[in-house]
Amino acid sequence: MEHYTFQKDVATYCVTADYFPEGIAEAHRQLQALLPKNDRRDFFGISWPDKNGIIIYKAAAEIMEGESMPGLETFVIKNGPYNTLYINEYQKHPDSISHAFELLLKEHEVDPHGYCLEWYINERDVKCLVPLGKEYREFTGLNKE
């Protein structure tokens, strides 16, 4: 397990999956069809349980400078420290992402009000991240609140 720190907030456009996990691929297809092609754009998956324990999943894409897509849902990935696990060739190992989040969420310093974040590095690799809580940020001097 490694640490990664987002130095600034990352604004994203997103499409919410109709079902989890069955609707993930379709949400990503819908999002990519709505956005202009940009090879520098980062893609993400963002998920968390609602009050009933049902997982909400959003396919997300970085908003590029000067871009405006009115009507599209947005989500801000917060700056700060995250615990991470990197997965090579995740599509060859279908359970690898859920297994990574199981491990990440067991760590005591995780923000209990955070989310699970998939950062698609390329078509083969993904970085799984969970934000660290206030106590960890204060202890390490990374608290920006």
Side-chain angles (χ1 to χ4, degrees):
M1 192 169 315
E2 296 180 4
H3 292 290
Y4 180 82
T5 300
F6 281 97
Q7 299 299 318
K8 60 183 177 112
D9 289 351
V10 178
T12 67
Y13 291 123
C14 44
V15 169
T16 302
D18 291 331
Y19 303 98
F20 179 85
E22 299 84 2
I24 291 174
E26 180 58 27
H28 280 281
R29 277 192 290 276
Q30 287 177 12
L31 180 63
Q32 289 181 16
L34 292 169
L35 297 174
K37 179 122 172 84
N38 187 317
D39 292 335
R40 295 180 301 131
R41 186 187 309 273
D42 285 326
F43 287 90
F44 304 92
I46 306 161
S47 60
W48 65 89
D50 70 7
K51 63 182 178 188
N52 298 315
I54 296 170
I55 302 295
I56 305 299
Y57 184 94
K58 296 182 181 295
E62 179 182 17
I63 298 174
M64 305 308 289
E65 188 174 328
E67 190 171 57
S68 178
M69 302 286 295
L72 268 180
E73 182 182 356
T74 61
F75 184 93
V76 176
I77 298 168
K78 295 296 184 186
N79 70 62
Y82 288 71
N83 272 349
T84 75
L85 286 172
Y86 194 92
I87 302 171
N88 293 304
E89 299 187 25
Y90 69 92
Q91 292 178 342
K92 290 184 180 179
H93 312 283
D95 295 331
S96 59
I97 292 175
S98 62
H99 181 67
F101 284 122
E102 286 174 19
L103 294 172
L104 289 166
L105 291 170
K106 288 181 182 177
E107 296 299 311
H108 68 278
E109 66 266 8
V110 169
D111 182 348
H113 305 291
Y115 43 85
C116 294
L117 178 65
E118 302 157 11
W119 183 357
Y120 293 91
I121 306 302
N122 54 46
E123 292 181 7
R124 297 178 320 276
D125 304 330
V126 65
K127 184 182 283 196
C128 297
L129 308 97
V130 293
L132 300 179
K134 181 179 178 182
E135 295 80 14
Y136 177 84
R137 293 190 309 268
E138 287 173 348
F139 175 74
T140 60
L142 293 171
N143 192 22
K144 296 182 186 227
E145 298 177 330

